Amino acid sequence: GQQVMQIPQYQHVQEGEDFTTYCNSSTTLSNIQWYKQRPGGHPVFLIQLVKSGEVKKQKRLTFQFGEAKKNSSLHITATQTTDVGTYFCAANQAGTALIFGKGTTLSVSS
Amino acid sequence: DTAVSQTPKYLVTQMGNDKSIKCEQNLGHDTMYWYKQDSKKFLKIMFSYNNKELIINETVPNRFSPKSPDKAHLNLHINSLELGDSAVYFCASSLDSEAFFGQGTRLTVV
C-alpha cells in the first residue's frame, strides 16, 4: 500500500532556530495533510495541500507541496517552546484511508 | 461538545482478557478510523469504516474487531489481550479531508 516516508525522526533545536521536516512518497499524492501532536495529546490537523507546487503559510509555519506532488515539507521559522511536539504528514490512500508518516518529534530548549 | 469522544481514557488489564474501547463522533462524518500509536509515536492505521462498511482492514490480528452500530459510532473490541497490545489507540473521523481525533485510550496490558 501507499507509504509516506518522513524524516528526520527526531530533531532538537535551540529556541529561535529554524526547523524543517520532510515527507516523501514514491507515488503521486492527490493531497497531503500535516498534523501536530503535543506531548500527551492527540493529533490535530494543521493544513492540507492539494495543488502542485503549493505553498501555504500559517504565522511562522510554511508548508510546501512539491511540483511532482510526491514530497512535502513543513518549515518552522524561529522555533519557540510552544512548537514542541510530533509533526506528522498524512496522505489519503485509495479507499479513503488516511496513512501517516512516522512523524518528526521536535524538542526545543530555551 | 466534544467532536470525537472515546472511552475509556485509560485501560489497564491483564493478559488474556477481552476489552472494548468506544468511540462516538457528532460531526456527521462518513468515515471513521482506528489507529494504534506505539511508544515510538508511529500512527498505524488499523481499520477504516465508511457508512458502516469496512473499507480498509490492515493486517491486524483477528483478535481485534471493529464494530459500528451506526454511522456515529465505531467501537473496537479486543480479545485475548497480549502484552504487545499495549499502546495508545486513537479513534478519528473525517468527511473529505481533515481528520478529527479523539483524546486517545492508553491501553496497558500486564
Side-chain angles (χ1 to χ4, degrees):
Chain A
Q2 178 173 287
Q3 288 186 337
V4 285
M5 309 304 292
Q6 190 173 356
I7 57 169
Q9 188 173 345
Y10 301 98
Q11 182 78 58
H12 177 79
V13 299
Q14 296 287 324
E15 192 173 21
E17 292 181 338
D18 293 354
F19 159 77
T20 305
T21 174
Y22 301 90
C23 193
N24 294 286
S25 170
S26 57
T27 60
T28 302
L29 303 170
S30 57
N31 60 67
I32 196 152
Q33 301 176 16
W34 286 93
Y35 292 77
K36 177 183 179 180
Q37 184 179 17
R38 294 181 185 274
H42 59 280
V44 175
F45 175 82
L46 294 175
I47 208 161
Q48 176 171 278
L49 304 172
V50 180
K51 299 177 182 177
S52 168
E54 189 170 16
V55 178
K56 288 188 176 180
K57 292 189 175 183
Q58 291 179 350
K59 298 182 180 178
R60 293 178 295 103
L61 276 61
T62 302
F63 304 84
Q64 293 188 338
F65 201 9
E67 293 290 341
K69 299 181 73 173
K70 290 185 176 181
N71 58 76
S72 181
S73 64
L74 158 59
H75 180 81
I76 303 178
T77 303
T79 55
Q80 300 175 359
T81 55
T82 54
D83 295 325
V84 163
T86 301
Y87 293 85
F88 295 95
C89 61
N92 285 104
Q93 188 178 48
T96 74
L98 189 60
I99 305 299
F100 283 77
K102 292 188 174 180
T104 298
T105 298
L106 173 65
S107 58
V108 180
S109 55
S110 57
Chain B
D1 282 342
T2 304
V4 181
S5 60
Q6 54 181 108
T7 56
K9 189 172 182 180
Y10 299 98
L11 184 54
V12 181
T13 188
Q14 291 186 327
M15 280 194 305
N17 284 351
D18 302 338
K19 290 293 179 184
S20 292
I21 307 173
K22 295 185 177 181
C23 179
E24 176 182 6
Q25 54 97 3
N26 61 7
L27 299 167
H29 288 168
D30 290 331
T31 305
M32 295 183 72
Y33 308 91
W34 275 105
Y35 288 89
K36 177 181 180 181
Q37 186 171 49
D38 61 22
S39 57
K40 293 183 178 181
K41 301 290 186 184
F42 299 160
L43 272 169
K44 178 183 175 183
I45 187 165
M46 301 178 70
F47 301 104
S48 175
Y49 256 73
N50 182 277
N51 286 327
K52 295 199 298 179
E53 294 186 19
L54 181 67
I55 56 174
I56 297 289
N57 186 349
E58 285 295 306
T59 54
V60 298
N62 57 16
R63 299 182 293 106
F64 292 79
S65 54
K67 298 190 190 309
S68 181
D70 54 58
K71 194 172 87 166
H73 296 84
L74 182 64
N75 303 323
L76 182 64
H77 189 74
I78 315 168
N79 290 325
S80 302
L81 278 156
E82 300 177 357
L83 292 176
D85 297 332
S86 296
V88 180
Y89 292 83
F90 285 102
C91 173
S93 73
S94 69
L95 186 57
D96 290 324
S97 57
E98 72 176 279
F100 291 80
F101 282 78
Q103 298 295 314
T105 296
R106 181 173 293 278
L107 171 65
T108 303
V109 182
V110 297

